[in-house]
Amino acid sequence: MRRGDGGGPFRQLLSMIATLVMVGVLVVVLVSSGGWRTVSETLGVGNPDASTAALAESKKGDAGRNPDAKSLSGLLSLFGVHTDAGAKDTGKTPDTAPTGDAAAWRAQLDAAGRIGTADARPGGYDRETRFGGWASSGCGKATTRDTILARDLTGVRKDSSCRVVSGTLRDPYTGRGIGFRRGVKTSADVQIDHVVSLYDAWASGARDWDQGKRIRYANDPDVLLASDGPANMAKGSGIDVNGRSGYLTQHTGAPDIWMPDNKAYRCDYMAKRVSIKTKYGLTMTPREKQQTVTYLAGCVAGKNQ
């Protein structure tokens, strides 16, 4: 017998057990971190949706982003698997990630009941003179727009002036995946939406603010959301302040309030409107408040999901 062969089969058994344990640990890490979708779609194996209901519940509030994407790529590289974090429009409709949080909707339902009502006063509104443009982010040539792109997109790349030049958006308004690339002909594919529009804010109280507060509102990340360009343009002011049921054709039960096409995001969207109006002490028209309360009550009851 050659030296070193003693206990060979036993050592091989231990080695196999250790390997199986490592594989098991890796699978648990991938599934619990949401990384199994990346591995599955990259290698073309398995079910990318293989996660438990409990894990899905633990991702409430994710808003469609994978905060672990960078660390996951590093982990996979140890095993010889490399993923491309660059911007890419796969043409697939990604899973949306609304909060699905009835408790959060209930909190905003209660808050909506405390919002004051008043007739809208849109007269004198002018976007540029009343709210200004994007403010500097404090880094190079980047503005608030870049700040929101960096927050809401994945696979973000920036230039030497801190401006976002590419990334991928999981658009909450349409549920589509959108590849963003900075350029004269492509930048408008992804726009930054004021969830409570500047027009709505002006008509519901911002006209009485000083200019500094209006500029702060226009650049507040809590008010802003990266979205599909055409959807943002279709939204317009987002509110029919005259109560003519301008959005009746959406059949949402809130005909004065614009809603995203992505039904999975509508409860979150309505709750977000309430949180913004509460934060800034903005009012609602009587019809707007009635429709908001009714819709959020339906969300809490599970009727609008």
Side-chain angles (χ1 to χ4, degrees):
M1 179 181 295
R2 291 180 299 170
R3 184 178 298 175
D5 285 346
F10 181 71
R11 289 183 179 178
Q12 290 178 359
L13 177 61
L14 288 179
S15 177
M16 289 178 61
I17 292 174
T19 300
L20 290 173
V21 170
M22 288 180 62
V23 171
V25 170
L26 177 60
V27 170
V28 171
V29 170
L30 291 175
V31 173
S32 63
S33 68
W36 178 243
R37 173 172 291 278
T38 300
V39 175
S40 179
E41 293 180 346
T42 300
L43 300 181
V45 298
N47 176 9
D49 295 312
S51 59
T52 65
L55 289 174
E57 283 295 310
S58 71
K59 289 184 173 292
K60 290 176 179 178
D62 184 24
R65 294 178 290 134
N66 178 10
D68 297 317
K70 185 177 294 185
S71 60
L72 175 63
S73 296
L75 177 62
L76 293 176
S77 67
L78 295 176
F79 294 87
V81 179
H82 302 279
T83 60
D84 180 8
K88 184 183 298 181
D89 186 350
T90 63
K92 298 179 181 179
T93 300
D95 292 338
T96 55
T99 65
D101 191 341
W105 298 336
R106 181 177 294 279
Q108 296 307 324
L109 173 60
D110 293 341
R114 297 189 293 270
I115 290 178
T117 58
D119 291 337
R121 296 185 297 156
Y125 170 74
D126 181 79
R127 179 187 179 106
E128 295 302 323
T129 61
R130 302 300 185 181
F131 291 90
W134 294 126
S136 170
S137 71
C139 179
K141 296 180 180 179
T143 66
T144 302
R145 172 177 165 83
D146 295 286
T147 299
I148 304 305
L149 289 174
R151 182 194 69 185
D152 292 352
L153 273 59
T154 58
V156 170
R157 294 174 180 169
K158 299 182 181 180
D159 63 17
S160 59
S161 297
C162 302
R163 296 174 299 186
V164 173
V165 296
S166 66
T168 302
L169 173 68
R170 288 193 169 190
D171 176 44
Y173 287 172
T174 64
R176 295 193 306 110
I178 303 172
F180 168 76
R181 294 196 181 277
R182 187 183 184 91
V184 174
K185 296 182 179 180
T186 57
S187 287
D189 291 345
V190 174
Q191 298 180 15
I192 308 301
D193 180 43
H194 293 84
V195 177
V196 173
S197 69
L198 300 183
Y199 172 85
D200 187 354
W202 172 264
S204 59
R207 64 180 298 140
D208 299 324
W209 300 345
D210 61 46
Q211 186 73 354
K213 185 174 181 179
R214 287 196 290 266
I215 291 174
R216 288 194 298 275
Y217 177 88
N219 289 273
D220 183 354
D222 288 345
V223 176
L224 302 170
L225 191 67
S227 66
D228 172 71
N232 185 42
M233 297 299 292
K235 175 189 174 184
S237 64
I239 184 76
D240 176 10
V241 298
N242 296 314
R244 300 192 181 106
S245 299
Y247 300 101
L248 183 63
T249 55
Q250 290 191 308
H251 304 293
T252 63
D256 294 343
I257 304 168
W258 177 88
M259 289 282 204
D261 288 339
N262 180 15
K263 294 180 180 180
Y265 191 71
R266 287 177 176 176
C267 289
D268 289 344
Y269 175 80
M270 189 67 89
K272 184 67 173 175
R273 291 191 80 256
V274 173
S275 70
I276 293 169
K277 290 214 164 187
T278 299
K279 176 178 180 178
Y280 281 93
L282 298 171
T283 60
M284 290 184 172
T285 67
R287 282 171 56 94
E288 176 190 0
K289 182 172 180 177
Q290 179 270 320
Q291 292 170 22
T292 298
V293 168
T294 300
Y295 196 87
L296 282 176
C299 294
V300 173
K303 296 179 180 179
N304 292 330
Q305 300 176 47

